[in-house]
Amino acid sequence: DHQVYLGEVFDNKADGHGVLHYNRGCQFSGEWENGYERIGCYMWPNNVQYFGTWENGYRHGTGVEKHQTYVYKGQWVKDSKQGYGVAVSKTGCSYEGTWNSDLHEGYGV
């Protein structure tokens, strides 16, 4: 598992600002705390991007995920869209409301 990290380190762990290039073509650039992503931009090889907060290696808190066909802005819990969020497709279709485990839940607009 070959990875390249360039940035600040404390106690032999990523801590502060840095960039990690993963062996599978992904990259995270932003703030680290105790070896984990804290806030920043994660990019996948398929051009999907997430900018937002992280907790213990998961997208968690508030963030924006950009795909080729849509953009989601909202809340995340352990890598899943969870809570309030808005998704807008390139065609103009949208959903605004609550999410549970990456799916629309309840009433939305």
Side-chain angles (χ1 to χ4, degrees), residues 29-88:
S29 176
E31 294 298 314
W32 295 80
E33 185 177 326
N34 201 28
Y36 288 106
E37 303 94 335
R38 198 68 197 119
I39 185 169
C41 184
Y42 193 99
M43 293 181 283
W44 285 265
N46 61 357
N47 292 324
V48 172
Q49 297 179 3
Y50 170 81
F51 181 80
T53 57
W54 295 73
E55 186 176 290
N56 296 322
Y58 296 103
R59 292 173 284 184
H60 193 90
T62 304
V64 177
E65 184 179 63
K66 294 182 180 181
H67 289 257
Q68 290 180 342
T69 57
Y70 73 94
V71 174
Y72 170 81
K73 298 177 185 180
Q75 298 172 318
W76 295 80
V77 174
K78 289 193 174 181
D79 263 351
S80 293
K81 297 170 188 79
Q82 186 86 19
Y84 176 79
V86 178
V88 179

